[in-house]
Amino acid sequence: MLKKDRYAGIISYFGEHMPNPETELMYSNPYELLVAVILSAQCTDKRVNMVTPELFARYPDARVLKHAEPEEVFEYIRSISYPNNKAKHLVGMAKILVDQYNNEVPSAIEDLVKMPGVGRKTANVIASVIHQKPTMAVDTHVFRVSHRLGLVSPKSKTPLAVEKELVKYLSRDIIPKAHHWLILHGRYTCIARNPKCGECGITEYCNLYPKIQKYGLTKAEEGLPKIA
């Protein structure tokens, strides 16, 4: 199957069955989403959503958060992965957001990544979700699903390489939706250890599916890169 046909089929399916995909992180403004995405690194959205209501009640905006001590923030996020580092990141982020950006979450990737705890993936999420920019955040789900489906080459061995290849083949208006499509598909259907191929609506476009049917998942995935 030609790559363009694979993309067309997958986009058509998700466009029909998931026309308005959204992040599962709970937020009500750009500041809250930025905090939630920082917390979500190597942590589930479900867990993040459990702690953010109290966190946002205590620190409703960056002006309040910038004056907090990391030790105090830690108490609100202690059940999140790497709470010590993330508490420091949140306070540092708030200081830069207030002092350098007038309490407005910037839209440029180069500005977003200046803040503690904000790497390229987080910056891409903010730029896409808040500012509707054609940026593709690549997490473990996007990385895995893109390779399994055959949307990217096995030579794309890093998140940045996967990002560049996906953006090359997706139209600008589709990219923000495609980010959520791939994440949600990886989270609930094309899961890492036991993909639910029997429940998947895009097996006809999946590069890995015939190999899984013939050889099993472990052998079928030989040669596919794993995210670091």
Side-chain angles (χ1 to χ4, degrees):
M1 180 182 294
L2 294 176
K3 186 169 287 189
K4 67 176 184 178
D5 296 327
R6 193 184 310 280
Y7 269 88
I10 291 170
I11 290 170
S12 176
Y13 174 85
F14 283 125
E16 178 181 351
H17 293 86
M18 201 187 301
N20 298 300
E22 296 180 344
T23 178
E24 293 186 313
L25 291 169
M26 294 168 53
Y27 72 99
S28 59
N29 56 58
Y31 156 77
E32 290 187 356
L33 180 63
L34 179 55
V35 169
V37 178
I38 290 173
L39 292 176
S40 72
Q42 300 184 56
C43 189
T44 66
D45 288 2
K46 182 179 179 180
R47 170 58 59 181
V48 172
N49 290 337
M50 291 173 66
V51 307
T52 48
E54 288 189 14
L55 181 68
F56 294 151
R58 176 64 182 85
Y59 309 107
D61 58 44
R63 291 189 180 93
V64 178
L65 181 58
K66 70 169 286 190
H67 295 295
E69 294 295 331
E71 293 78 12
E72 180 186 359
V73 176
F74 171 88
E75 294 302 321
Y76 289 89
I77 65 169
R78 61 187 310 145
S79 63
I80 296 287
S81 60
Y82 307 106
N84 283 302
N85 286 336
K86 289 179 180 178
K88 296 174 184 176
H89 289 160
L90 290 180
V91 175
M93 174 275 293
K95 290 178 180 177
I96 292 177
L97 194 62
V98 173
D99 297 343
Q100 297 186 25
Y101 298 107
N102 195 31
N103 204 32
E104 296 289 334
V105 176
S107 61
I109 301 297
E110 55 268 28
D111 291 328
L112 287 162
V113 297
K114 292 177 181 178
M115 293 183 278
V118 181
R120 185 174 182 86
K121 184 195 78 173
T122 297
N124 280 342
V125 171
I126 299 302
S128 173
V129 176
I130 297 299
H131 301 290
Q132 295 301 302
K133 289 198 169 187
T135 55
M136 172 62 69
V138 177
D139 67 353
T140 55
H141 298 302
V142 174
F143 190 91
R144 178 179 69 254
V145 172
S146 296
H147 279 291
R148 283 180 174 177
L149 290 176
L151 295 176
V152 299
S153 165
K155 294 180 181 179
S156 293
K157 296 181 178 181
T158 66
L160 181 58
V162 169
E163 175 190 333
K164 289 182 176 180
E165 193 167 356
L166 289 172
V167 169
K168 177 181 177 181
Y169 286 96
L170 292 166
S171 62
R172 292 174 63 89
D173 62 309
I174 288 292
I175 291 172
K177 288 185 177 183
H179 161 69
H180 294 303
W181 286 339
L182 295 174
I183 284 179
L184 295 172
H185 190 65
R187 185 172 292 164
Y188 297 111
T189 303
C190 195
I191 55 181
R193 296 184 179 179
N194 189 25
K196 301 176 182 178
C197 297
E199 301 175 16
C200 179
I202 53 175
T203 52
E204 65 180 299
Y205 305 109
C206 179
N207 186 56
L208 199 67
Y209 179 66
K211 299 175 186 177
I212 293 176
Q213 294 295 97
K214 188 174 182 179
Y215 304 113
L217 178 64
T218 301
K219 187 171 180 61
E221 284 196 309
E222 289 181 358
L224 291 186
K226 304 296 183 183
I227 193 168

